[in-house]
Amino acid sequence: MPGLFGAFEIGRRALLAGQAGLSVTSQNIANANTPGYTRKIARQISVEGARLPEGIVGSGVDVTRIERVRDAFLDGRVLGSRAELGDARARASFLREVEATLDDLGDGSLTSAVGAFFDAWHDLALSPESLELRAAVRGAGSKVASLLDRQSEALSEQRRRLAESIPSDVADVNARLGRIAELSRRIATIEAGGAAANESRDERQREVEELSEIVEVSAAESPTGRFLVRVGGAIVADGDHAIGVSLVRIGDDDAAGLSGGGADEGLALVAGSVTLAPRAGALAAKVDAVNAALPSILTRLDEIAEGLAESVNALHAAGTGLDGSTGVAFFDAGEGGAGAAARIRISAAVRADAGKVAASADGGPGDNGTARAIADLSRTATLRGGTRSVGQVVSEMSEAVARETGDAAFLEEARGHFVEALENRRDSVSGVSLDEEAANLVAYQHAYEAAARVMSVANEMIATLLAEVR
Amino acid sequence: MRITNAMMSRNLLANVARSTARLARFQEQIATGKRIARPSDDPSATARILGGRTRIANIDQLLRNAERSVSSLGTIDSALGEVGGILGQAREVALLGANATVTDQDREGAAIQVDAMIERLLQIGNTFDGARFVFGGHKTLDAPFVRSSGGIEYQGDDAETVAPVDVAQEVPFLMPGSRAFRVAPATLGGDEDLDPDIWEFTRVADLNRGAGVALGPIAITDSDGATATIDLFGATTVKEILDRINAAGLSVAAGLNAEGDGIALANLGGGTTISVADVGDGIAASGLGIRGAFAGGVQGSDLDAAVTETTPLALLRGGLGVTVTTLSIANEIDGERREADVDLSFARSVGDVLVGLARAATPEGESLHVEGAIDASGSAFLVRSSLPVTRLTVRDASGPIGSTGAADLAVDGTATQRDLLAVLERLRDALREDDQDGIEEALALIDDGLSQNLLARAEIGSRVERVDTVRESLIARRADAESALSGVEDTDLPEAIVRSNQEQVAYQAALTAASRTLSLSLMDFLR
C-alpha cells in the first residue's frame, strides 16, 4: 500500500515494533536476576512492500518472534559438569566426616594409641615383675580397643545416617522429574499454538540442571518432540510422563537399615525394573559411600583389630603371667572377620586380673621375653600374610583416607571452578546485560519517537492535501 | 565476550570467597603453628608426619629404655663395687689367719668378722630395688640367696634380662647372682699332673711345663774323644735337636730316654764316657738335662713337657696312656638335668677330647654346655660347665668296652659351682677350726672371686658404654627426625605472615575494585 497511507501503515508498524522491543527489553530487565532466565530478543524483519514504478519499497517492520538466546552445546556441558560437582561435593562432605572421625593428626588418633600400647609393653619389659605396669599395659590395650570400637561405631553410624538420608534425595529427584514432566506438558500445549514456550523452557532447563547435581542426567528432545530425561542410559522421564526413580536394598536383612556394615549389603537405584548406574551426582556419591567407600574403611578397621588381637594373643598365650598363668589371650575380638573392630576388647581373664598379663617367656617373673616380643610387634610384619606391621596398616589407612579426602576436596574446588567458568560462558551468551538493555531501551525509544514523527509528518501531508482539495 | 551483570557479581563473589578461604587458611596456620590442620590438606605430608611422629615416639621409648637400663646397671655396679671391697677385706683377714703365730682368739675374732661380711654379702645379693631382687636372674620376686641347713644357697636362676635399646639391639640390664657372685664354674679335675712323655714333635717351648728351654751351642765329646760344638739355637721341636746332634758326625745316637720323658745319647764309639757341656754362657745342655759326663751313654733327666692340644693321649701318664672311649656326663643347668654318653673313641690327642666335649649334646640335640681345658699350670686336664649354676657329673660309661678315660684324666666325680658366700663360709669355718689348708684354699678362691668380680664390673662397664653409644646415636637421630617433622608439619611463620598480608591486600583491592565497577551502570548516564 504505497503512498501516504502506506507511510501511515509503516509508521504504525514501527510503533508496534518499538512497543514489542520495549516489552522484551523490560522483561529482560525484570528478570536480570532470575536464575535460569535466558535473555530474549525480538526478531525484527523488514516487510516486503508494493511495487512502484521506481521499484519495490518495503512496507515497514514486523516482529516475527521472540527468541531465547541459548547455546545448546554449553547446556549439555553444564549438565555433565554440575553432576560431577554434586558428586565431588557429596564425596568430600562424607570423607571429611570420616577424616574427623579418624582424627589422624590429633592426640586421640589410632596411630598414637597403638604406639602408646606398644610403648606400655616396652615399659613392662624394663620391669617385668610390676603389677602397676601390667595395669598400664591393660589400660593402653583397652584404649586401642575402645578407640577401634568408637571409630567403627562412628563410621557405621555415619553409614546408617547416609543411608537414611538417601530416600529424601530420591523423593527430591522424583519431585523434580514430576515438575519436568509437567513443564513438558505445558510446553507441548503452548507450542501446539505455534508460539515458543520460552519461559517454561527456561524453567525446565533449570530443573534439569538442578536435578543433574543430584543424579547425573542427560536430557534431549526426541525426533518426535518428546523430552526424554535419562539416568545412565535408562529413561526416567518421557515427555509428560515421569517414570521416577526408586530405591531398593540389596543383601540387607535388617529393616532398621544396614546395621551389619558388611560389604555385601547396600542400596541400588532402579527405574521400573531397570537398575540405574548413574555415573555422577550427589546421590550416586552417597550410594557409593554406603555400598563401598565406608564399608572398605570399616573393613580396614576390622583388619587392624583382628590382626592386632591375633598377633598379640599368639605371643601372649605363649608367655607367662605374674601368677604363673599361661595360654591366656590378651584381646578378645570374637571370631574376627567383619565387625571385629566393634567387638575387640580386653579378654575377660585379663580384665579381671592384671596379673594375667604375660611378660615372661620362660616363666620366671623377672623375664621379659614375651613383653619384648609384643613390643617388637610395632615393627614386626604380622598382618597381610606377614608383609605389614600393625602400625603400617594403620598409617596406610590414614594415608588412604587423607588422600581420598584431599582428592575429593580438590575435585570439589576444581569442578566448582569449571562449572563457574561454564556458567560464565553461558551467561555471556544468555545472560541479561543491563547496560545492553539500557542501550536497547534508548534505541527503541528513539525509534518510537521517530516512528511517531513519521506518523505526524504523514498526517500533516494528508491535511495539506485535503485542504487543497476542499 | 559479552559481560553480563550476573557474571560480574558471580565472579566477584567467587573471588572474594576464595580470597577469604585462603586468608582463613593462613590465619589458621599462623594461629596453630601447624602447616596442615587436617590430613586431607596434604595427604603425602600426612603420611610423612605420621611416620615422623611414630619414629620420634619410638626413639623416645628407646631412650627411656636406655635410661632405665643405665640406672639399673648403676645399681648393679655399685653393688659389685661393694662386693669387691668386702672381698679385699676378706683377703686380708684370710692372710692374717694363715699366719701360724695368730692365737685361737684372734682367729675367732677373724671368723666373726667374716660372718659379718657374709651377712653383708647376703644383703647385697638380696638387693631389692623397689620392684625386684636385682640378682635373681629371672626369679626376681623371691630373695635369691637363702640360708638353709647346708649354708647359703642361690635359688635364683642364671638368666640375663635384656632391654631393647635400639632396633635389633638389646643390652642385658641386670646380672644374675650366679654370675655376679661367681668364683668359678663347676669344675672337675685340674689337680692331677698328667705327666706326658715327650715325643719327636714335642715343641721345645712346651718343655719345663711350658717354660721352654733356652737353646744355644753345646759341646759333645763322644767316647772316642771327638768333640763337636752343635748349635741348637732355633730348633723348635725335640726332633730338630736330635737331628742336629745326630748330624754332627760323632759316635753318638741321639734319641729319647728309657722313660720317654727326656733325651738320651747312646754310645756308638769305642770308649765309655760321653760328656756334654754348655758353650760360653749357654744353658741349653743343662736345660735339656744332659749336661755332664756319663759312662755308657747319656740318660737325660725328665724334661717335664706340658700338656697341649697336640699331645697324643698315649703319651699321658708317663707313657701309660689314657683310654678314652665313652664318658657319661650329666650337667644340671638350673635344675634341668641334661645328660649324655659322649663318644670320644675317635680321640687321639688332647685336642680331640676338647673338640668332642665342646660338641657334647643330649640325644635330643641340646648342648650339655661342658668344655674341656688344660689348667693354668699346663699339667692337668679339667672339665667344666660353660654355664654357671650347674651341677656337673662326669664318669666313665659302663659298657662292654671299658673306658677309663675319666679316671685316667682325673676328671671323674661331681662338682657344683662355687659362689662367694660359700667361699667365705669355708674361710670362716677354716678359721674356727684352724684349718691352714682350708684357709689357703679359701684364699686362692677369694683371689679367683676378686678376678671374677673385676670381670663382672668390666662387663657392666662395657654394657653402660654400649648403652651410652646407642643413646648418643638415638639423640642424634631424634634431632634429625624432629627437624624433618618440623619441616613438614610446622608453619613457616615468616612466609605465612607475608603471604597472609599479601592476601589481605589482594582481598581489599578486589573489594574496592568491585564496589567501584559494580555500582556503575549505563542507566546512570542516560537521562
Side-chain angles (χ1 to χ4, degrees), chain A residues 39 99 105 119 122-123 126 129 362 364-368 372 417 420 424 427-429 431 434-436 442, chain B residues 1-2 4-7 10-11 14 18 39-40 43 53 61 65 68 131-132 138 140 161-162 170 522 526:
Chain A
R39 80 183 157 108
E99 188 178 40
L105 290 177
D119 282 355
H122 264 287
D123 288 341
L126 270 285
E129 50 286 287
D362 71 359
D367 183 31
N368 60 9
R372 270 186 293 127
H417 287 188
E420 200 180 295
N424 276 343
D427 256 12
S428 172
V429 177
L434 288 175
D435 290 346
E436 186 183 334
V442 174
Chain B
M1 192 176 186
R2 260 181 98 241
T4 67
N5 300 68
M7 275 164 78
R10 183 187 301 127
N11 284 347
R18 273 197 280 277
S40 56
R53 285 186 184 173
Q61 182 61 48
N65 290 359
R68 253 175 271 165
R132 65 189 147 216
H138 281 176
T140 48
T161 315
V162 298
E170 295 174 330
L522 188 54
L526 294 174

Side-chain angles (χ1 to χ4, degrees), chain A residues 399-423:
Chain A
E399 203 205 334
V401 170
R403 200 165 290 285
E404 281 173 33
T405 314
D407 286 356
F410 170 76
L411 275 182
E412 183 185 12
E413 196 178 329
R415 286 176 178 167
H417 287 188
F418 187 62
V419 167
E420 200 180 295
L422 271 182
E423 287 187 339

Side-chain angles (χ1 to χ4, degrees), chain B residues 27-110:
Chain B
Q27 305 283 0
E28 192 178 25
Q29 288 183 352
I30 294 168
T32 60
K34 299 290 177 209
R35 202 170 61 78
I36 68 176
R38 283 162 295 277
S40 56
D41 289 348
D42 190 341
S44 60
T46 299
R48 270 179 294 159
I49 288 171
L50 289 181
R53 285 186 184 173
T54 308
R55 206 154 30 247
I56 289 174
N58 283 345
I59 291 175
D60 282 346
Q61 182 61 48
L62 292 173
L63 279 172
R64 277 200 294 281
N65 290 359
E67 266 151 35
R68 253 175 271 165
S69 303
V70 166
S71 115
S72 119
L73 287 171
T75 310
I76 307 252
D77 186 51
S78 60
L80 286 178
E82 206 177 333
V83 168
I86 291 172
L87 284 181
Q89 291 169 16
R91 191 170 188 280
E92 279 169 25
V93 170
L95 282 173
L96 207 69
N99 190 334
T101 61
V102 172
T103 64
D104 286 354
Q105 207 180 348
D106 289 344
R107 271 197 303 273
E108 178 57 30

Side-chain angles (χ1 to χ4, degrees), chain B residues 281-347:
Chain B
D281 303 340
I283 50 166
S286 53
L288 291 170
I290 50 173
R291 198 171 80 149
F294 300 89
V298 180
Q299 290 290 323
S301 59
D302 186 355
L303 287 179
D304 218 359
V307 180
T308 66
E309 292 190 13
T310 53
T311 308
L313 292 176
L315 291 181
L316 295 176
R317 301 210 300 148
L320 290 177
V322 171
T323 317
V324 185
T325 52
T326 305
L327 294 186
S328 179
I329 301 178
N331 199 6
E332 273 175 55
I333 303 163
D334 259 349
E336 184 204 343
R337 189 177 171 89
R338 292 187 186 175
E339 65 179 313
D341 284 344
V342 182
D343 181 8
L344 295 172
S345 55
F346 68 93

Side-chain angles (χ1 to χ4, degrees), chain A residues 121-205:
Chain A
W121 280 103
H122 264 287
D123 288 341
L124 181 58
L126 270 285
S127 292
E129 50 286 287
S130 163
L131 190 62
E132 292 80 10
L133 291 176
R134 280 184 163 72
V137 163
R138 184 175 62 178
S142 155
K143 198 172 158 202
V144 172
S146 68
L147 195 58
L148 280 167
D149 178 26
R150 203 162 65 234
Q151 293 190 343
S152 96
E153 184 44 50
L155 292 178
S156 298
E157 172 63 24
Q158 188 189 351
R159 181 169 180 244
R160 246 190 319 276
R161 272 189 289 103
L162 260 180
E164 279 163 16
S165 77
I166 287 175
S168 73
D169 285 338
V170 170
D172 190 17
V173 167
N174 286 334
R176 286 178 192 279
L177 285 173
R179 282 202 292 279
I180 289 167
E182 168 61 24
L183 285 165
S184 294
R185 193 189 56 73
R186 201 191 304 164
I187 290 165
T189 314
I190 294 170
E191 292 187 350
N198 284 336
E199 313 306 326
S200 293
R201 278 180 179 272
D202 281 355
E203 177 73 5
R204 187 174 69 184
Q205 179 65 27

Side-chain angles (χ1 to χ4, degrees), chain A residues 430-454:
Chain A
S430 304
V432 176
S433 162
L434 288 175
D435 290 346
E436 186 183 334
E437 301 303 332
N440 284 347
L441 214 53
V442 174
Y444 286 127
Q445 187 186 359
H446 284 309
Y448 191 84
E449 280 169 13
R453 187 86 187 131
V454 167

